[in-house]
Amino acid sequence: MAESTTIHSTNNNIPIPSVMKAAQQSGFGDIRDVLTLDDNVTVPRQLSSKQILVRVCAAAINPVDWKILEGKLSLVTRYSFPHTPGTDVAGVVVAIGSSVKRLQIGDKVYGDLGIHGGSYAEYVRGPESLFTLKPNNLTMQEAAAVPLACDTSSQALFKKISPPIGQGSKILICGGSTATGLYAIQLAKAVGAYVTATCSKRNFSLMEKLGYTITQTNIEMNNDQNQLHVIDYTEKDFGEELKDQNYDIVYDCVGGEQQWISAQKILKRGGQFITIVGDDLSSIISLKTLIVMGSSIVNRKFWSIFSSAHHGYIRHVLYENFQDLDDIRTKFIETNKVKPLIDTVFDWRKDGVDALYSLYEKSKSGKAQGKLILKIADEE
């Protein structure tokens, strides 16, 4: 059994309160029916030997957060209610368990809490293994925008694909204006890949905010890493537009069977298709969808081996760990090769529970141009 330690003060002798403000989920359902903001939630001051307590400055929302809240993932999530939601987090370590060695009280950290949640609160407790030092060139709000979305794309491009993407690789990113897509574009460009992305013309401006010059002309030999080839998916099917162009990778951040169908037209022999969504756009995980998903993956992996094209099919699910966040910080963010884009910052101190409602509802609308952030406290 893990050692239990109760810590009462931070490194500057400011007492950790016994209660805090936190979002409280009472069950699964519509945001306005099941989520409240409570000022009297117990601070989780009792730590196991490998846990830390973080004073939260900012958190972010991802599609998985509202899917969990609505019960779309209830088959794989088991909560005792009330539950504090939220995955991405940035803040300051205020207490540590007896076996914590890598992080210290006072460290500014960021992390991804996974489906266990807890970041929509003034304090969050979690294992040290999910946190690491935040990038020193980002604010807390910017740092909170990174973990889940950037790590998802980093793992997909550098760990799940073999060989990993690198200099001279050709990659098409379906959904370039999604949070994962925006990070994937930057990560791929940072290692010298040739990148094509799909998005609507409305979101071309997002790519320009990242510093890219947009072209709708496919110029394969162009070595200008500041230029980005973009296809407006509302006007053109990338499968027809890039047919037989021998792409190494198609990275799907959108979902739907059509992405796989179109990808096979542009991938080279042995090319790889990797998706973080899959065919089912309903986002509801049930026994039926698990069976259909499993059958689809088995079928495509069979044909990837026995078809003449040998196109690989990979369904990618993020594995949270601090090592990846460290790599992202040191190799890409602190070297200014990758940066977060923020659409809106919501502040519950100013707007109360309406800040939470707006956060969830804008995320679900799919109209955000960049990350949506929840400000919880001022930075130190």
Side-chain angles (χ1 to χ4, degrees), residues 23-30 33-36 69 80-83:
Q24 294 287 271
Q25 178 185 349
S26 60
F28 296 120
D30 182 82
D33 295 331
V34 301
L35 200 66
T36 57
L69 187 103
S80 56
F81 296 110
H83 167 71

Side-chain angles (χ1 to χ4, degrees), residues 231-269:
I231 295 174
D232 181 356
Y233 73 87
T234 66
E235 296 182 355
K236 298 176 180 178
D237 170 60
F238 75 83
E240 296 301 322
E241 185 75 4
L242 304 174
K243 191 173 182 179
D244 300 324
Q245 292 294 309
N246 291 320
Y247 275 70
D248 298 288
I249 301 147
V250 171
Y251 176 40
D252 170 34
C253 303
V254 177
E257 187 178 12
Q258 185 58 47
Q259 311 302 330
W260 166 245
I261 293 171
S262 296
Q264 293 175 86
K265 299 176 183 178
I266 77 169
L267 285 169
K268 70 178 185 181
R269 178 182 171 86

